[in-house]
């Protein structure tokens, strides 16, 4: 999950830790264009729970990305739809 602001990254990290989600904060990969140098990695099994957290807590994200075929692919932006 990448962000446009450090404030939103830290807010998401705090909310996810409060919900006892196993996460890893790491530098945003160069393949992902984002305004923030921090990203959050989480297990795919948490995907729906993370989406709900983003929606209900109004967390502003750049997108949810998945590593596929040697690149990152945006799978969800939080703007009401899924990306292909």
């Amino acid at each position: 999950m990448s962000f446009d602001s450090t404030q939103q990254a830290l807010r998401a990290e705090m909310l996810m830790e409060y919900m006892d989600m196993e996460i890893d904060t790491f530098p945003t990969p160069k393949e992902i264009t984002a305004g923030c140098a921090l990203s959050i990695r989480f297990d795919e099994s948490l995907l729906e729970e993370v989406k709900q957290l983003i929606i209900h807590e109004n967390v502003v994200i750049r997108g949810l990305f998945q590593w596929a075929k040697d690149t990152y692919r945006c799978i969800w932006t939080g703007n009401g739809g899924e990306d292909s």
Side-chain angles (χ1 to χ4, degrees):
M1 175 169 31
S2 68
F3 306 87
D4 285 325
S5 77
T6 302
Q7 178 184 4
Q8 290 297 315
L10 295 175
R11 183 168 173 260
E13 177 185 32
M14 178 199 67
L15 290 166
M16 293 172 85
E17 287 178 346
Y18 179 77
M19 294 182 68
D20 290 325
M21 293 181 179
E22 190 71 32
I23 63 169
D24 179 30
T25 304
F26 69 105
T28 300
K30 63 180 176 7
E31 297 88 354
I32 300 174
T33 304
C36 176
L38 294 176
S39 287
I40 296 176
R41 181 181 297 134
F42 56 89
D43 190 89
E44 192 172 345
S45 65
L46 296 174
L47 182 59
E48 292 306 315
E49 192 174 352
V50 169
K51 286 180 180 180
Q52 291 305 310
L53 173 74
I54 291 166
I55 293 166
H56 293 298
E57 297 294 335
N58 297 311
V59 178
V60 179
I61 64 169
R62 168 61 61 122
L64 298 179
F65 293 82
Q66 182 177 50
W67 181 254
K69 299 180 184 173
D70 299 327
T71 189
Y72 286 95
R73 180 175 72 90
C74 185
I75 59 170
W76 194 69
T77 61
N79 295 326
E82 303 216 7
D83 297 337
S84 304

